[in-house]
Amino acid sequence: MALKNQRLPMEKVFRDPIHDYVYVQDQVILDLINTKEFQRLRRIHQLGTTSFVFHGAEHTRFSHSLGCYEVARRIVENFERNYLSKNPNDGLWRKEERLVTLCAALLHDIGHGAYSHTFEHIFHTNHEQITTQIITDPTTEVNQVLRQISPDFPTQVAAVISHDYPNPQAVQLISSQIDADRMDYLLRDSYYTGTNYGTFDLTRILRVMRPYSKGIAFQISGIHAVEDFIVSRFQMYVQVYFHSVSRSMEVILGYLLARAHQLYLDSATPWQQAPQFLMPFFNKQFTLSDYLKLDDGVLNTYFLQWEDSEDPILNDLANRFLNRTPFKSARISNQTRALLPELKQLVAAAGFDAEYYTAENDSYDLPYDAYDPTSQKPRTQIELMQADGSLVELSTASDLVRAISGKVSSDERFYFPKEMLTSNTENLFSATFEAFQSHIKNGIIN
């Protein structure tokens, strides 16, 4: 069935600080951008609580989604110019894959919710499943736009994002170890955090990408650009994504939502200022429409209300989150883990509810992964294509990548109120504070 796509008479552009211009050449892409589900992404931060550490990190899922689309568009353009299939068995790029790939790139994050990863953990939502639902549910504007191409086109787009699409080239272009998604967010996150860790030679990477029968490979002549990408990604994990203060604010955010949920469950009478948009999640009976009403601003509005709550824990956690009062942390080792119950008891003795004011948090729990060719996940391999067409896995050809593959060290921390580090000897809890502090030296529990 021929796709009913219409090219715009003149391409439209979005000015972008990362890619200069984002080029829109298809009516369906422009229509998708203008749907209410996609516009919602303007109200969701790309990096959640990271802006509490890097104040410039105010960029949104909207701008990243446009950026991912633009990188994918450039890749597809290169494939169509240099690697277009001439017969069914040559393993090269087929022109009919263009539109489904570009739509999947644009929509790959459309299911993310308010403070998405923390919210998912508390209320057991799944942004990947919701992405598929938004694309395939006939009541959404996104689905209605996609169905104008063909009746089964929404299912095809969803299949690319869920890795079920039969063409591995389209899937890997959107989701692999070097894909349009990662290339945009590394450059974009680096730019907005004011760091240089995530920079790499995008132009060169795109130049050496090429399709083959089982997906996408990179010409071995571009190995140094690929190495640069891997090192940049490694640095961003360690320096930005795993930052201890950002994780502290995520801990507070999680406890804030969990406390509100518990108060609702325990309350014999209705809340005076009920968080109406959260009620479906408190009751575990939310619809897609309920989910799409939430964004960062809606949650922040409730947090402002909770600053006036009569419940001292909800009140205090809301204040800490809105006014950036992070928990402090100390690193845990296998040898010192046995001290955590005692430390929690000391926190409780100082007047804090240990359930809401202490936490163990490991960087491995975060939604990022380092390049590890030994992993069993199917997307872990980065293949280099040699002159004779044979393939070699990246870490076997690169001493640099082999040295850091899967080597992001675990940063496990114990979080607690910063008041536990007070040096005021006149304080009522001074003896408790001293006992607590005796177990921490140079930011490490000992």
Side-chain angles (χ1 to χ4, degrees):
M1 180 185 296
L3 300 182
K4 299 176 183 178
N5 180 42
Q6 180 182 353
R7 288 291 186 108
L8 294 171
M10 178 178 291
E11 64 185 11
K12 295 189 179 295
V13 295
F14 291 79
R15 288 304 301 260
D16 186 76
I18 309 304
H19 305 302
D20 191 20
Y21 281 116
V22 173
Y23 293 89
V24 176
Q25 301 159 326
D26 302 274
Q27 186 66 51
V28 66
I29 297 296
L30 186 61
D31 290 345
L32 287 172
I33 292 170
N34 288 330
T35 61
K36 64 182 181 181
E37 294 89 9
F38 194 82
Q39 291 293 316
R40 181 187 67 97
L41 298 180
R42 292 182 184 272
R43 307 189 297 275
I44 297 175
H45 287 96
Q46 174 72 11
L47 289 182
T49 61
T50 301
S51 62
F52 286 107
V53 181
F54 302 94
H55 66 268
E58 296 286 342
H59 56 303
T60 64
R61 296 270 173 194
F62 180 91
S63 62
H64 163 60
S65 296
L66 284 183
C68 179
Y69 154 80
E70 175 59 19
V71 174
R73 188 195 65 79
R74 294 182 189 180
I75 296 171
V76 168
E77 187 177 86
N78 175 46
F79 285 0
E80 291 189 350
R81 187 169 57 247
N82 296 303
Y83 302 107
L84 198 59
S85 178
K86 295 179 174 57
N87 66 71
N89 299 316
D90 59 14
L92 297 179
W93 180 256
R94 297 201 306 270
K95 205 166 188 175
E96 57 266 30
E97 304 291 2
R98 173 183 176 275
L99 199 61
V100 69
T101 302
L102 296 187
C103 290
L106 184 71
L107 299 175
H108 77 286
D109 267 357
I110 201 165
H112 272 284
Y115 292 111
S116 58
H117 295 295
T118 303
F119 191 90
E120 284 185 26
H121 177 71
I122 299 299
F123 296 110
H124 308 292
T125 59
N126 184 308
H127 73 271
E128 294 175 346
Q129 292 177 2
I130 292 173
T131 291
T132 297
Q133 190 176 355
I134 291 170
I135 292 171
T136 58
D137 190 317
T139 65
T140 68
E141 292 183 4
V142 163
N143 179 269
Q144 292 161 19
V145 168
L146 293 173
R147 275 190 285 124
Q148 293 176 9
I149 302 299
S150 73
D152 64 343
F153 193 62
T155 303
Q156 293 178 34
V157 173
V160 174
I161 297 172
S162 65
H163 306 172
D164 298 319
Y165 193 70
N167 186 337
Q169 296 167 357
V171 173
Q172 290 183 25
L173 201 152
I174 306 302
S175 181
S176 61
Q177 287 293 336
I178 305 184
D179 56 29
D181 178 25
R182 283 169 169 79
M183 284 190 276
D184 181 79
Y185 79 58
L186 284 179
L187 292 173
R188 193 169 299 275
D189 294 350
S190 181
Y191 176 88
Y192 280 102
T193 55
T195 65
N196 291 318
Y197 306 119
T199 57
F200 60 92
D201 191 346
L202 174 65
T203 302
R204 179 63 175 158
I205 290 278
L206 299 187
R207 181 66 182 168
V208 299
M209 290 182 74
R210 59 155 299 154
Y212 75 108
S213 59
K214 294 183 179 180
I216 292 175
F218 300 82
Q219 296 172 14
I220 200 164
S221 60
I223 186 172
H224 298 304
V226 175
E227 288 176 330
D228 187 31
F229 173 88
I230 296 298
V231 172
S232 295
R233 185 173 160 194
F234 177 90
Q235 293 281 18
M236 284 293 284
Y237 293 155
V238 174
Q239 301 292 341
V240 176
Y241 303 138
F242 294 166
H243 197 287
S244 61
V245 175
S246 176
R247 288 157 57 192
S248 170
M249 297 305 294
E250 283 192 13
V251 167
I252 293 173
L253 173 60
Y255 281 157
L256 177 57
L257 290 169
R259 181 62 176 178
H261 189 195
Q262 190 60 49
L263 288 174
Y264 172 76
L265 294 176
D266 294 344
S267 178
T269 57
W271 278 20
Q272 199 169 25
Q273 289 181 303
Q276 294 297 333
F277 290 153
L278 283 175
M279 289 303 182
F281 301 91
F282 288 172
N283 292 319
K284 300 180 181 180
Q285 294 180 333
F286 69 92
T287 65
L288 180 60
S289 177
D290 295 326
Y291 185 88
L292 293 174
K293 289 175 182 176
L294 292 181
D295 55 44
D296 292 358
V298 170
L299 290 191
N300 287 341
T301 299
Y302 290 141
F303 301 162
L304 284 166
Q305 292 178 354
W306 296 345
E307 277 192 303
D308 298 325
S309 170
E310 295 180 358
D311 179 74
I313 294 177
L314 187 68
N315 177 310
D316 182 62
L317 291 174
N319 186 285
R320 288 175 186 265
F321 184 77
L322 289 172
N323 299 307
R324 196 193 180 279
T325 307
F327 290 160
K328 291 293 186 180
S329 66
R331 295 192 67 172
I332 307 168
S333 68
N334 289 333
Q335 292 71 33
T336 59
R337 184 180 303 280
L339 292 173
L340 296 187
E342 180 183 347
L343 292 174
K344 291 180 181 180
Q345 288 177 3
L346 289 169
V347 170
F352 298 98
D353 186 329
E355 181 180 354
Y356 291 101
Y357 286 88
T358 65
E360 298 169 50
N361 182 276
D362 193 323
S363 59
Y364 282 154
D365 294 333
L366 299 180
Y368 304 98
D369 58 303
Y371 178 61
D372 183 2
T374 65
S375 170
Q376 296 304 307
K377 293 182 181 179
R379 66 181 187 184
T380 55
Q381 302 295 321
I382 296 177
E383 302 287 358
L384 302 176
M385 183 169 287
Q386 302 182 98
D388 63 358
S390 61
L391 299 173
V392 57
E393 191 274 319
L394 175 62
S395 68
T396 65
S398 168
D399 293 337
L400 176 61
V401 171
R402 184 163 56 252
I404 65 172
S405 292
K407 295 295 193 303
V408 174
S409 59
S410 172
D411 181 30
E412 190 167 5
R413 291 179 174 271
F414 176 66
Y415 284 88
F416 52 87
K418 70 174 185 177
E419 290 87 343
M420 297 304 298
L421 299 181
T422 185
S423 58
N424 184 355
T425 58
E426 303 298 323
N427 192 289
L428 176 64
F429 300 109
S430 58
T432 303
F433 295 155
E434 288 177 8
F436 184 91
Q437 292 167 30
S438 69
H439 292 296
I440 298 176
K441 184 177 181 181
N442 296 324
I444 301 173
I445 295 175
N446 55 48

